[in-house]
Structures are given as structure tokens and as C-alpha cells.
Amino acid sequence: MGFQQGLSGLNAASKTLEAIGNNVANSNTVGFKASQAQFADVFAASLTGAGSAQVGIGVKVAGVAQQFTQGNITSSNNPMDLAINGGGFFRMSTGGTITYTRNGQFQLDKDGYIINSNGARLTGYVTNSNGVLSTGAPADIVVNTAPLAPAPTTEVSALLNLDSRKTAIDSTTTPFDINDPTTYHNATSVTVYDSLGNAHVVQTFFVKTGPIAPAVTAPTWDVYGAIDGTLIQNVAPTPDGFIDTITFNSDGTIDTTATTLPFTGIEFDVTTGAVTPIGGAGTGISIDFTGTTQYGANFDVNTLTQDGFASGRLSGFNIGADGIITGRYTNGKSATLGQVVLADFKNPNGLQPLGNNMWAATSGSGQELVAGPGSGRLGVLQQSAVEDSNVDMTAELVNMITAQRVYQANAQTIKTQDQVLQTLVNLR
């Protein structure tokens, strides 16, 4: 049986060299996982149960197992490239056929789908019409390049300090006049947006009206408003532009018993074809001065914000470590466009290699376990990076030398068996 044993050893060594050669050839293949030839000894069946005296008849290939260890992560210049740091596979779809890969070299096609070099589409969770992720079944991820719809302003928040050292103005003798700076003490402005995304400038004016003995004893400030230089139109006897009055305590804070914040239902009319007034009839805009103070210091605007925005075009997007795709728009806003998901398997070695850095699920791998990156055993994503092949060139070259020696030794076994047979033939 020496010939059979030696021949099986030659085949085993040859298989080892094939696995090593494939590993070396793919040492620069992104996402490649090295393979290892695994062997088992072979014994002839015996009807008598030869026990410990039985000699094996060689070796066979038990399997070729891929090593799903982490490869090095290298930065790239492509913002679409993704690397998985940890467990899991990208889930790809080709006409509904699902495959898996560790190669995160992606690009956008003409329809906005994220694809790899084979045209397979990256899958994940997509957003509904309200921008909320639908975390049910994964679907092909498409980057929506439609403009972001505008949102009308509904609330303005202002945090100010009004100078308590100012001298109060008697509005009965000196009524507020937007064109006369001597009839008010301070003013500020903020840009707001109507339902079409048109920008408008809302100005607020502050007039200290108390204390004026004997009629007004509390520290009070009247607030007036205008849009694009035109005072808001009030019904008499309330003067145009008047919004409300802020009353302060002696410690400089707002007297919440005499002042109800925010000021609501302020109607700023527009003539742009948008909904007028801004915010809608009967609703308007609210202005919140909560936290505003009246100290003996110069007029100061600490914060001044509003919740509306104009329409915007998609200028780019980022993919976070959790797979969330966040779009950036030209109006300074951002929105969630989707989420990349990863798939995991109880037995990754049960996956069927398909070539092109792709695998398919089998009964041996088990069902896919899909979730967002960072969940459970799944790794996290790194944008503008790729995972290198996990082939260890030093180890492969050493293994190549070992396989070569094993091949030579088995060849020597066959040569020796031949010499023994030749000796037998020569016996006469």
C-alpha cells in the first residue's frame, strides 16, 4: 500500500499548494478571506476489526475552510468605500438574488442605487415619506436626490438682555414709529421662511414703557414687530406693529404672572403666493422671550433662532459607524436617507463561495441574521476605507516551503516502495 499512501500524500500536498497559491494570488484583493486545506487520514474497512494493528492507507481532503478573521483597514479616497470592523457581511441584491460580501468598494449608479463593481445593489433600511426608517425587511438602498421641501417658520426664540438704565418712553405722547429711532430703544432681526421657502426679515423693536409714575410702576417693555420693513397689521385700538408687553421683576427676571410666554398668534402677512400669514391663519408665528433679562448692562442678543428653512439640494452624504446614511443639503439641513445593514451567520464557513468576493447562504451556514452595524456580534462601519485581504504573506511563504517538503517526502515514499518491489523482482 506504499504506492497508494504516497500518492494520496502527493495529492494532499498538491491541494495545500493550490490553497496557498490562491491565497497569495488574492493577497491584494479587498475583502478576501484566506483558505486553508484541511485533511483527514484514511483507514480501510476491516470485517474482523483489526484494532491497533491496522495501518492507514493514506490521506484525503476533509475540506477547504476559509478563515473569516479581520483584515487590516486601509483609508481610501472614495467616500463611497466602506469597511466592516468586526463581524458581518454586506447584504447585496442582484435582481432579488441575495449574496454577501466583505468587499465594501461601492459607487452610485445613474438611478441613485449603491452598487458594487458587479452591479449588485447594497441593501438596508429605507426611509418612508416622513423620513423615518422602515426597519422591517431590508430593501435596495437608493439615495434620494430630490430637493428637501421647505418648512415655514412657526416659532422664533429669543434670549436677550434689555438695558434697565434706559429712560422709559411715554407712548401716549411719543407713539412708536418704525422710521423714528428715538421712539424705541433697541431692535433686532431674524430671517424667517414662508411655506414656499422664501426668506423674509422679521424685525422686533423694544420700547421701555415703565416705570412712569404714577400710571406705570413696574419695569415694562413693549414689543413691536415688522416683516420686510412693514409693521404687522393690528385691529384698532391696538396700534400696528404692537405684539405684547414684557413685565420684569425687581431682580431683572421676567414676571411670569404678568407676562404669558410665548407670544402666540402673531400674523406676518406675505405676498409671495405662499400661505399667508406665515404659519397659517389663526396660528401665525409664536415668539418666545423666555429667559430674557433686564439688567443694568448694554442690550445684548444671546440667542435668536427660528424653526423654518428654505428648500435645499442634496450636496453630499455621510455613512456613520451605525450605517445611518445622513444627507447634507445646501440649506444647511440634514436628513436621514437610509441605513446600511449587515448580515451574520452562525456558521460562516457554511457559506458557498461564488467568486467576485461574494458568498451565498446554504443550509450549512444557517439563516441570515440581519441588523444594523454595531448590534450584537456585528461590527461597525468605517467610511472612506476598505478591508484588506487577511492573507499573511509571511505565513503563506513558510507554508509553501513546508508543503514542498511534504511533497518531496511523499515522492520519496513512492521511490522507496519502487526500490523494494525491484528487489523482490530480482530475487530468483
Side-chain angles (χ1 to χ4, degrees), residues 50 112 130 178 180 188 210 244 290-291 297 305 372 425:
N130 296 321
I178 190 175
D180 185 358
T188 187
D244 215 320
T290 299
T305 60
V425 170

Side-chain angles (χ1 to χ4, degrees), residues 55-147:
V55 177
I57 58 174
V59 63
K60 68 176 181 179
V61 178
V64 178
Q66 291 195 286
Q67 310 301 304
F68 288 97
T69 57
Q70 179 70 42
N72 293 329
I73 294 179
T74 302
S75 297
S76 72
N77 295 323
N78 181 12
M80 294 296 300
D81 285 347
L82 294 176
I84 302 174
N85 188 358
F89 298 83
F90 294 112
R91 187 177 184 274
M92 311 300 296
S93 174
T94 306
T97 301
I98 303 302
T99 53
Y100 307 91
T101 184
R102 293 280 296 194
N103 185 347
Q105 294 175 305
F106 298 120
Q107 56 190 325
L108 284 179
D109 69 5
K110 63 182 180 62
D111 298 316
Y113 289 97
I114 301 176
I115 63 172
N116 63 11
S117 58
N118 303 316
R121 294 175 176 176
L122 181 64
T123 66
Y125 299 138
V126 297
T127 54
N128 59 23
S129 57
N130 296 321
V132 179
L133 283 174
S134 300
T135 56
D140 297 351
I141 298 176
V142 58
V143 177
N144 186 0
T145 58

Side-chain angles (χ1 to χ4, degrees), residues 42 70 110 115 151 164 187 213 337 342 360 368 373 386 388 413:
V42 180
Q70 179 70 42
K110 63 182 180 62
I115 63 172
S164 65
L337 303 179
L342 299 180
E368 63 175 7
V386 294
D388 296 337
T413 299

